[in-house]
Structures are given as structure tokens and as C-alpha cells.
Amino acid sequence: MREEEPACIPPADVRAAVYGDLLCDFPRVRAATEDESIHSYIGPDLWGYSAYESEVVFTAVSFHFFLLMFLVSFRLAAFRSPGRIPMQTANDLNLWRDGLFQINTETEETIKRIVSTLGMKLTDDLRDLVRSMIVVERKKRFGFHRFCSFCTLYKPDRTHHCRICGKCTLRMDHHCPWLANCVGYGNYKYFLLTVFYALCLSASMVIQMAPTFVHIMQGLHDNLALLPVVLIYACVFMLTPLLLFFMGFHIYLTANAMTTIEYREKKNSEDPYVQRRFQVAHLKFDQGYMENLKDSLGPVWSWLIPYFDGKNGCYTFSKSMSTCASTQKIEGEGMLLGGKQGV
């Protein structure tokens, strides 16, 4: 004679057989798993699975996909070079070591006057001039070329010296302690994807666990062993809006062709001359929202893929030219830096 199943385990219910104790303590959890699936739209007979089994498969696949993409993006952001001042060719040495930018005196004086004169209107001719130059940014109000005394090199536009790394970083955004690396031109996309997939992970956990969390809270006083689950869920719940805000902030910066340094120290600086220098230099890189996103993330189809080779745009892109300037590969850094452009 067949032995009767325990009363707390519904007949022919595999889930109850595995989680019988939990379902006995929390009968409403059982009801939720059977009737209140948050993925009931998947369908009860998808690929021969029940609604609950389809939900489990969907959750497992989506979570591990987000986790894989997060780990890949994090590794690339942490170990890929953010971009250094190139010193591979004779032209590189002439530009960044010797400062031989071959800018005629008249043009140089015009740039100095534009940078140092706060009320000077930027006409279309002046805008085209700025966009065509290999180096636009100038130091302080007198318009001298920016020079790094630590690296003893002239700085390309948007380059800053990192005191922690001890090197200059192309289009430096910030030094990230979580990555132990600078975030710059070469790894900014990987950093952004790391934040994005971290947001996907936390948001999926909050959504998937919400029904279970509600039922656990209703019976928590009877089973304190589940208190760690409550604490973990609370932490993830608070982390999600922070990641959402951080992601939104960097999308705003990317769409407006700005870095964190430029946003904090230049655009919003109290020094009007600093704001003026940023206004002039920003003309060279601001190509419109969509083009700015493509310059940092690549073609639209590749935005969510952790891959970036810099070929979607060049570091010294000029809107006044039909094509980018001649480019040269920075060995081992997976990016391109624009060569000299005509003035």
C-alpha cells in the first residue's frame, strides 16, 4: 500500500516536495508560487514547462546573463588602459614631448584672445577655427599650452594627470577606487556597462524577490532564520535607485560630451575664465547628443556589448572636416588618437 505523503506537501507537487518545510510555515508563499507568478505572461505551457517552472528558467537565465556581462565589463574596465599620451612615432614626440604643434602666430594669438576675452562672441568662423585645431585647451587666462610637469609632456585636449596612477589619462573622467584604475577614453564604455549591468542585477533581484519578500515579512516573527534574506533584500532595494541615479548622470555627461572633471571643475566653476576655456574647448567635441553617444559607446547596435576599439570616432574629431584626421593605433590600448589636423 502506498505510503501517504505528509499533509504539508500537496500530491504531485515537486516544488512542495523540495520546499515542504518552507511552504508549511508559509502557506501563502505556496499560493503565490502557484497562482501569483510575476511572470505568468510567459504562459503555462511554454516549452512544456509549467508557469512556475518557466519563471524559474527565465529568472535563472536572465540573472546569470546580467552577472556574466557585469563581470566581463568590470574586468575590462579594471584592466584595460584608460588611454595614455601616445609616444610611439616621431610625430607623437614632436607633438607631445616637444610641443611642435605648427600653429601659426596669427592663429595662436586668435585662440589666446578667444580664451581670455569673456565677452567675445564666437562667430561661425571662430567656431570652425576651434574645431579644426589639434590642441584647443589653454592654461589659465593667458592662453598657454597645457604642460604636465610630472610627465614632462604637453597635454592633448581633455587630458589630465592622475596623482594616484602617476600618469596622464586621455579624456580622464575620474579615478575609480572600485576599479583601482582611471576611467578615461579607452575604458569609459566598460565602466558605463559595469554600472548598467550592476543596475540590471539589482533591479531584477528587487522585482523577482518582491512577492517572496512580502510573504516572508508576514511570517517573519515565526521564523527569524529568514532575517538575513530580509536584510539582503533591503540593501539591494536601497542600492538600486543609487545605481539608477549614477547611470543617469553618466548618460547625461556622455550625451553632452562632458567628463565628470569637466562638469565639476570647469562647467560649474566659479572662475569665469575657467568656464570660458571650457566653453571654447567644448566646441571641438560636442557633435550633438547621438554622435556624442556614438563617440563614447560605438555604433548603436554595440552599445550593450563590452567592446570598444575607438574606430567610431577619433580623439580629435573635427566637425569642419569631412572625415576624421589620419589616425594611428596606440599599441595595446585598443583606441585611436587623431593625428595632426590642418589649421
Side-chain angles (χ1 to χ4, degrees):
M1 183 175 179
R2 183 178 177 182
E3 184 178 355
E4 292 187 2
E5 296 179 350
C8 65
I9 304 181
D13 194 329
V14 177
R15 301 192 306 279
V18 177
Y19 301 108
D21 293 339
L22 178 61
L23 296 179
C24 287
D25 293 337
F26 301 99
R28 295 191 62 181
V29 174
R30 179 170 66 243
T33 58
E34 294 176 350
D35 303 323
E36 301 175 8
S37 171
I38 59 175
H39 292 296
S40 59
Y41 60 85
I42 293 179
D45 299 317
L46 180 65
W47 302 315
Y49 292 102
S50 67
Y52 175 82
E53 291 168 330
S54 299
E55 178 182 349
V56 170
V57 172
F58 178 84
T59 301
V61 172
S62 61
F63 178 84
H64 286 91
F65 171 78
F66 291 144
L67 179 61
L68 175 64
M69 298 298 283
F70 168 78
L71 293 176
V72 172
S73 300
F74 180 87
R75 185 186 184 283
L76 290 172
F79 294 100
R80 183 63 61 90
S81 170
R84 305 302 181 190
I85 299 177
M87 299 296 292
Q88 278 74 39
T89 68
N91 186 51
D92 293 335
L93 297 176
N94 289 335
L95 290 174
W96 313 122
R97 185 191 64 183
D98 304 328
L100 301 178
F101 300 114
Q102 300 181 14
I103 301 175
N104 62 54
T105 303
E106 181 181 354
T107 301
E108 187 66 32
E109 291 301 320
T110 300
I111 291 296
K112 288 183 178 181
R113 186 167 65 254
I114 294 173
V115 171
S116 59
T117 306
L118 299 179
M120 185 176 182
K121 183 179 179 181
L122 296 174
T123 64
D124 291 339
D125 291 340
L126 293 178
R127 291 171 183 268
D128 291 338
L129 175 63
V130 168
R131 289 166 179 154
S132 68
M133 298 187 65
I134 186 171
V135 177
V136 176
E137 291 191 63
R138 295 295 188 269
K139 188 175 180 63
K140 296 184 178 180
R141 70 180 64 178
F142 301 109
F144 298 119
H145 291 288
R146 299 190 309 140
F147 183 81
C148 179
S149 58
F150 297 98
C151 300
T152 63
L153 295 172
Y154 285 90
K155 296 180 181 180
D157 290 335
R158 313 183 83 183
T159 299
H160 298 275
H161 184 85
C162 177
R163 291 174 295 178
I164 300 176
C165 294
K167 297 179 180 179
C168 284
T169 300
L170 298 178
R171 201 172 74 188
M172 181 175 174
D173 189 88
H174 67 284
H175 183 92
C176 180
W178 306 105
L179 299 175
N181 193 13
C182 275
V183 175
Y185 182 76
N187 64 348
Y188 181 78
K189 178 180 179 179
Y190 306 129
F191 163 77
L192 201 61
L193 287 180
T194 299
V195 178
F196 174 75
Y197 285 115
L199 174 61
C200 290
L201 280 171
S202 61
S204 65
M205 290 177 65
V206 169
I207 296 173
Q208 298 285 352
M209 290 182 61
T212 303
F213 176 77
V214 172
H215 293 301
I216 287 177
M217 289 299 296
Q218 292 173 350
L220 186 61
H221 62 281
D222 295 326
N223 192 345
L224 293 179
L226 294 175
L227 181 60
V229 177
V230 175
L231 296 178
I232 292 174
Y233 184 85
C235 291
V236 175
F237 186 84
M238 291 186 292
L239 178 64
T240 301
L242 296 178
L243 288 172
L244 181 61
F245 171 79
F246 194 59
M247 183 70 191
F249 174 69
H250 275 278
I251 290 177
Y252 165 79
L253 292 180
T254 305
N256 287 276
M258 282 190 292
T259 65
T260 301
I261 291 177
E262 290 169 345
Y263 179 81
R264 292 184 55 193
E265 299 181 7
K266 296 185 178 182
K267 183 177 184 295
N268 295 315
S269 173
E270 296 181 357
D271 188 337
Y273 289 98
V274 173
Q275 292 185 13
R276 177 65 175 182
R277 294 202 311 273
F278 169 76
Q279 179 188 12
V280 173
H282 192 245
L283 291 173
K284 181 178 177 180
F285 299 99
D286 188 5
Q287 310 165 46
Y289 295 141
M290 183 57 67
E291 293 303 318
N292 291 339
L293 290 170
K294 289 180 180 179
D295 184 63
S296 294
L297 305 178
V300 176
W301 61 266
S302 68
W303 283 4
L304 300 182
I305 301 175
Y307 173 76
F308 179 70
D309 61 6
K311 293 181 180 178
N312 52 288
C314 57
Y315 190 72
T316 54
F317 182 87
S318 172
K319 290 180 65 177
S320 63
M321 303 178 69
S322 59
T323 59
C324 290
S326 59
T327 54
Q328 54 199 38
K329 188 75 174 179
I330 299 180
E331 183 177 358
E333 297 195 359
M335 71 192 69
L336 297 174
L337 179 69
K340 188 180 185 304
Q341 303 176 7
V343 178

